[in-house]
């Protein structure tokens, strides 16, 4: 009989250790691929190796194909028992301008009940959550299930290294249940399982109209302006209500799961007063986020404002981020976007579209046995009647790779993140109660799974 109270007490009495561990790992500005920060990434990897060893696991440190470091800790199952894989990552996105932060980004700082620092939520908060769960399991007498803990080092740069490792050594990732802690709850205190992830692609659009810049006084008005041509081309991807339009692609699907109210979305996204959300009254935020393709302009280049002169631009360029719902082929949709753009370039402007970083979405069955058990454990940990199930607008290509390598494994998506965390932004933070509650749920799952 699992003593739920004892598990809860073990985690709740562990906050000082959780804070200390998160402080230590957040102190590493572990950005993969930046030569000036290679010592930080290496330091974070060493820290994870030591932490997993102290958790009683046999740890292998693997330099992956992209030069990052993956740590894999294992403990064999008892005879006849299943194996559970726990996943997170130790790399982060760059902290950016320190002046944009209220406190030093690589120093974990407590303010108003939240802990601030780069990676505090994404994904070092999930790392220390796993460690807290393992300590609670040990305090409760241990588990008979096998354990594999995977902590990768280049997720924020696409995770190419781990993807290649899965292809080359799939046996390292063999498991009956795979617990990917890199998403989170709908709100603080609302236990949530993520049921779907968007796929997507990156598109670089280049429009050319002139051989070189020409004087706007002598030629402006008649000369085809590449910047205007690009703007008009991109504008064709939205209708008057702001809904995405891609010729040949259905962009009108409805989300059938739990809703995301416009009021909550406005608050979570920081929408300014008086600014309308995309769509009409018949559209819901969840439709746009989890059921339909979406296109964002993530970069736009012509002549920088600081360098502007009275000249007509000969070339303009944009970077587009395409997101597609689970079940919609990312490569086919990206090519449809490219063809749409080619057709809508005005005035015969020359247009080139390059497509990169294509990945398909992923959907999971929350009624499957392991996921059903995890939902029960999450609800019990939070003291609620049930756990919510939501889609995620983000992408985790790893899920598809793991599913291809081990199609029989159940894959769960959950974690300590929630909208207030502001992951990837200045003043990223985590609510420590989320770390505690998710750790309690994971510990209960590890103690009950296979029993």
């Amino acid at each position: 009989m699992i003593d739920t109270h004892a598990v809860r007490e073990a985690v709740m009495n562990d906050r000082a250790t959780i804070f200390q561990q998160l402080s230590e790992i957040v102190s590493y500005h572990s950005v993969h691929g930046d030569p000036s920060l290679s010592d930080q990434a290496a330091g974070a990897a060493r820290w994870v190796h030591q932490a997993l060893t102290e958790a009683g696991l046999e740890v292998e440190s693997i330099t992956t194909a992209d030069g990052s470091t993956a740590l894999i800790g294992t403990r064999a199952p008892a005879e006849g028992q299943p194996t559970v894989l726990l996943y997170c990552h130790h790399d982060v996105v760059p902290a950016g301008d320190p002046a944009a932060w209220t406190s030093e980004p690589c120093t974990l700082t407590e303010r108003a009940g939240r802990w601030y620092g780069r990676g505090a939520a994404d994904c070092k908060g999930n790392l220390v959550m796993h460690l807290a769960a393992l300590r609670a399991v040990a305090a409760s007498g241990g588990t008979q299930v096998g354990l594999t803990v995977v902590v990768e080092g280049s997720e924020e740069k696409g995770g190419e290294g781990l993807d290649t490792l899965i292809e080359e050594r799939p046996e390292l990732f063999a498991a009956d249940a795979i617990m990917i802690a890199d998403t989170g709850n709908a709100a603080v205190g609302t236990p949530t399982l993520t049921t779907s992830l968007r796929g997507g692609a990156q598109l670089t659009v280049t429009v050319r109209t002139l051989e070189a810049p020409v004087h706007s006084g002598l030629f402006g008005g008649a000369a085809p302006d590449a910047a205007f041509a690009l703007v008009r081309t991109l504008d064709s991807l939205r209708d008057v209500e702001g809904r995405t339009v891609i010729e040949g692609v259905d962009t009108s699907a409805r989300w059938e799961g739990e809703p995301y109210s416009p009021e909550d979305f406005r608050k979570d996204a920081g929408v300014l007063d008086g600014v309308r959300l995309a769509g009409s009254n018949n559209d819901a935020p969840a439709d746009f986020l989890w059921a339909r393709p979406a296109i964002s302009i993530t970069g736009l280049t012509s002549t920088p404002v600081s360098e502007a002169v009275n000249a007509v631009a000969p070339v303009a360029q944009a970077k587009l981020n395409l997101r597609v719902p689970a079940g919609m082929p990312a490569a086919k949709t990206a090519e449809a976007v490219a063809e749409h753009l080619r057709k809508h370039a005005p005035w015969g402007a020359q247009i080139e579209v390059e497509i990169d970083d294509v990945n398909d979405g992923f959907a999971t069955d929350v009624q499957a046995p392991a996921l059903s058990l995890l939902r029960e454990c999450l609800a019990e940990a939070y003291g609620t009647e049930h756990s919510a199930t939501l889609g995620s607008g983000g992408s985790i290509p790893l899920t598809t790779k793991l599913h291809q390598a081990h199609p029989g494994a159940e894959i769960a998506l959950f974690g300590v993140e929630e909208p207030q965390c502001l992951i990837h932004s200045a003043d990223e933070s985590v609510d420590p109660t989320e770390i505690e509650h998710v750790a309690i749920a994971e510990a209960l799952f590890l103690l009950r799974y296979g029993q």
Side-chain angles (χ1 to χ4, degrees), residues 257-268:
E258 296 187 41
Y260 192 170
S261 74
E263 295 76 21
D264 286 342
F265 180 82
R266 292 185 69 91
K267 178 182 177 182
D268 294 342

Side-chain angles (χ1 to χ4, degrees), residues 253-329:
R254 302 288 184 183
W255 173 250
E256 300 298 333
E258 296 187 41
Y260 192 170
S261 74
E263 295 76 21
D264 286 342
F265 180 82
R266 292 185 69 91
K267 178 182 177 182
D268 294 342
V271 180
L272 299 178
D273 291 343
V275 179
R276 290 176 47 208
L277 300 184
S280 68
N281 292 334
N282 294 323
D283 301 297
D287 299 335
F288 290 105
L289 294 174
W290 306 321
R292 303 175 183 178
I295 300 171
S296 301
I297 302 172
T298 56
L300 194 64
T301 302
S302 179
T303 303
V305 172
S306 60
E307 301 172 17
V309 295
N310 293 329
V312 179
V315 61
Q317 198 171 49
K319 190 80 168 184
L320 306 182
N321 176 238
L322 169 69
R323 302 281 180 158
V324 299
M328 180 176 286

Side-chain angles (χ1 to χ4, degrees), residues 102-128:
T102 304
S103 53
E104 207 283 324
C106 292
T107 299
L108 192 68
T109 305
E110 183 169 2
R111 293 197 306 276
R114 296 184 69 89
W115 296 349
Y116 289 80
R118 173 55 83 229
D122 183 20
C123 185
K124 294 173 179 180
N126 285 303
L127 169 59
V128 300

Side-chain angles (χ1 to χ4, degrees), residues 87 163 166 178 180 183 196-198 359-363 395-406 411-413:
Y87 166 88
D163 288 351
I166 293 171
I178 298 175
I180 296 181
T183 60
S196 65
L197 297 166
R198 291 199 282 195
N359 64 281
D360 285 322
F362 176 80
S395 300
I396 305 177
L398 170 72
T399 53
T400 301
K401 287 289 185 181
L402 288 171
H403 179 67
Q404 291 170 345
H406 300 288
I411 299 179
L413 298 157

